Amino acid sequence: MSQLLNRILNPLVYKNALRHNNMVRWCSSTPIYPFMLIDHLLKVGDSSEGNVTRRSGSDGENEIIIKNNNILTDVRDAMTNGFNQSGVNIHIKDKTFLRDNDNIRLNIYYKPSDPKSKSVTVHLPPLPKGIQIQNLAMSSLPDLENEDWVAAIKFSVSQLRLYRHKDLRWSDIETTHAHESISPHSSLMYSKKDQRFYTTTPGGHLLCSFGPNFNEKDEPKYNRVWKQDLPQYMLYELEQINSFTKTDHLVESPSGETFLISWYYGDEFESDTIVQKTKRFLVFKEQERRAGTIIMSYTENIGDHCVFLGHGEAMCVPASSSPGLRPNCIYFVGHNYGVFDITTQTCTLFYTEKGPLRSTQFPYWRHPFSLIPT
């Protein structure tokens, strides 16, 4: 590592840092700028100690193999908790202590950055035990004094529920039409610009949305998505791309720009084990809305922003909001941890010696509202 990078990392990133043959790790303290570690791993080659090595995958993706458990822990923490400066934490608890073995409780904790402000805890109504939660989205930061505060939850079986604080109960969102079901794996998001919740249908050709005042007798709204401006070279790759599994994620930038991101991954054999590996991403930017259709253009430039995808609400933040974040990149966790460079179309995956670094814990990301710089 250069002396300049060493001088930058030591005082700013790590309170108790050790420099080890071109590899930096932190010990017993939380880094101030954790994404500088991720940025460093993306830049450097193999470490002289053998703690980190690189190789190319079967489809040209970069693979960073981390053999040191301390570094693995740091990478996992940086990718999942890097923005947890002061925001929202979501926890699932069994209600066995309430003598109710058939339900679980979803609790939301919010700690404001202002030390004079009180922390907020929201105990959402019980949910059936055994369900798998895809993600949760909120209309704003939790506020017990705001009767209009709304949270929506998406289950992995394509079921949606809405919670209004003034009602203190869950309302089911019915999406039973054969051609208008919702994707079981794509995320649910709240648009501050539209003041609506959005998710996609399985093929990503329609967006399903509903407002905070949705009633059980209402029907969700569906908008068709028209994608355009795919480059010529991409057309020759579509056959291969369409052979992969795809999930779609809608995300809104702080300035109100809307992006639809398609995440492609495929199954591969590695060491006699089937693993799911991220292959690539396609990004589309909303251009206009016309007669119930949302027109989106393919893009390889989202500006100074970076996107976070995982088992939670997708989010988009300025890269300048934290040192080490790379503009025009997608950070992702789930079946793989990695970074996709939209400009170069390069996918980098983090590996352990046993296989891809992965997690299926809910939730992966902190809520987007906790990421707005103050």
Side-chain angles (χ1 to χ4, degrees):
M1 182 190 307
S2 68
Q3 292 182 354
L4 176 60
L5 182 57
N6 189 36
R7 288 198 301 270
I8 293 174
L9 286 176
N10 278 332
L12 295 179
V13 183
Y14 311 106
K15 297 178 181 178
N16 184 18
L18 297 177
R19 182 170 180 262
H20 246 350
N21 292 330
N22 295 330
M23 182 48 57
V24 175
R25 66 185 177 88
W26 66 74
C27 302
S28 68
S29 61
T30 302
I32 301 174
Y33 299 138
F35 289 105
M36 292 192 74
L37 170 65
I38 304 301
D39 184 58
H40 177 65
L41 289 171
L42 295 173
K43 289 178 180 177
V44 302
D46 297 352
S47 66
S48 58
E49 276 195 341
N51 288 328
V52 176
T53 58
R54 304 174 73 95
R55 69 187 180 199
S56 295
S58 58
D59 289 322
E61 64 272 14
N62 297 323
E63 296 176 356
I64 298 177
I65 302 93
I66 304 171
K67 303 176 182 180
N68 180 286
N69 288 333
N70 289 325
I71 299 173
L72 275 175
T73 299
D74 294 343
V75 169
R76 184 181 286 109
D77 288 345
M79 290 288 287
T80 55
N81 300 321
F83 272 110
N84 192 23
Q85 298 168 358
S86 61
V88 176
N89 291 293
I90 303 171
H91 298 283
I92 298 177
K93 290 187 177 182
D94 285 333
K95 287 189 62 183
T96 53
F97 64 94
L98 293 179
R99 299 180 182 179
D100 186 353
N101 295 324
D102 297 325
N103 292 306
I104 60 171
R105 173 80 72 174
L106 194 64
N107 296 330
I108 302 175
Y109 305 97
Y110 169 53
K111 183 179 180 181
S113 56
D114 184 356
K116 297 180 180 179
S117 300
K118 294 183 179 180
S119 298
V120 177
T121 300
V122 181
H123 300 286
L124 295 176
L127 293 166
K129 195 171 184 178
I131 61 170
Q132 288 187 317
I133 297 174
Q134 182 69 23
N135 76 290
L136 179 142
M138 297 183 288
S139 60
S140 65
L141 287 168
D143 184 356
L144 298 179
E145 303 299 323
N146 180 10
E147 290 190 349
D148 294 325
W149 180 77
V150 175
I153 196 168
K154 181 176 180 290
F155 304 119
S156 58
V157 293
S158 302
Q159 183 181 2
L160 298 169
R161 286 188 178 182
L162 185 71
Y163 170 81
R164 276 188 295 268
H165 188 54
K166 61 183 177 182
D167 296 336
L168 298 177
R169 65 180 182 89
W170 292 110
S171 297
D172 288 327
I173 309 294
E174 296 293 339
T175 56
T176 56
H177 298 292
H179 67 291
E180 295 177 347
S181 59
I182 61 173
S183 172
H185 303 297
S186 297
S187 57
L188 176 71
M189 64 86 73
Y190 181 77
S191 168
K192 294 180 67 177
K193 179 177 64 176
D194 298 341
Q195 296 187 356
R196 296 183 68 82
F197 293 93
Y198 284 91
T199 189
T200 67
T201 58
H205 303 300
L206 296 170
L207 292 181
C208 169
S209 69
F210 53 93
N213 294 317
F214 186 93
N215 295 312
E216 290 184 336
K217 295 181 179 180
D218 297 336
E219 292 188 0
K221 179 181 178 182
Y222 290 88
N223 291 94
R224 185 166 298 278
V225 177
W226 180 264
K227 300 175 183 177
Q228 62 185 19
D229 297 337
L230 274 174
Q232 190 69 30
Y233 78 88
M234 190 74 68
L235 299 178
Y236 298 109
E237 301 178 12
L238 283 181
E239 183 176 354
Q240 180 188 25
I241 292 175
N242 289 334
S243 69
F244 299 138
T245 302
K246 182 188 73 164
T247 60
D248 292 295
H249 307 270
L250 203 67
V251 64
E252 190 173 87
S253 74
S255 57
E257 297 173 305
T258 301
F259 299 97
L260 180 63
I261 301 176
S262 296
W263 182 352
Y264 294 88
Y265 57 91
D267 296 335
E268 290 191 11
F269 274 104
E270 290 188 358
S271 303
D272 298 325
T273 302
I274 297 178
V275 297
Q276 292 181 313
K277 291 180 61 175
T278 297
K279 296 298 183 180
R280 70 173 307 138
F281 294 85
L282 296 183
V283 182
F284 298 87
K285 181 180 179 180
E286 181 181 328
Q287 300 298 328
E288 61 176 314
R289 301 190 181 191
R290 197 165 55 207
T293 298
I294 301 176
I295 300 173
M296 292 190 161
S297 296
Y298 174 80
T299 184
E300 295 180 0
N301 181 18
I302 61 172
D304 181 50
H305 295 99
C306 56
V307 171
F308 289 80
L309 294 180
H311 194 175
E313 184 175 0
M315 55 195 178
C316 180
V317 300
S320 56
S321 60
S322 181
L325 282 178
R326 294 189 167 197
N328 213 38
C329 284
I330 299 171
Y331 293 77
F332 56 93
V333 299
H335 293 295
N336 308 127
Y337 280 58
V339 181
F340 182 80
D341 190 313
I342 302 173
T343 303
T344 63
Q345 297 289 291
T346 302
C347 186
T348 300
L349 304 177
F350 294 114
Y351 264 70
T352 70
E353 293 183 278
K354 297 180 180 179
L357 183 62
R358 63 189 299 271
S359 175
T360 56
Q361 182 182 0
F362 169 82
Y364 298 146
W365 304 117
R366 305 297 173 184
H367 193 271
F369 286 102
S370 67
L371 310 184
I372 301 174
T374 56

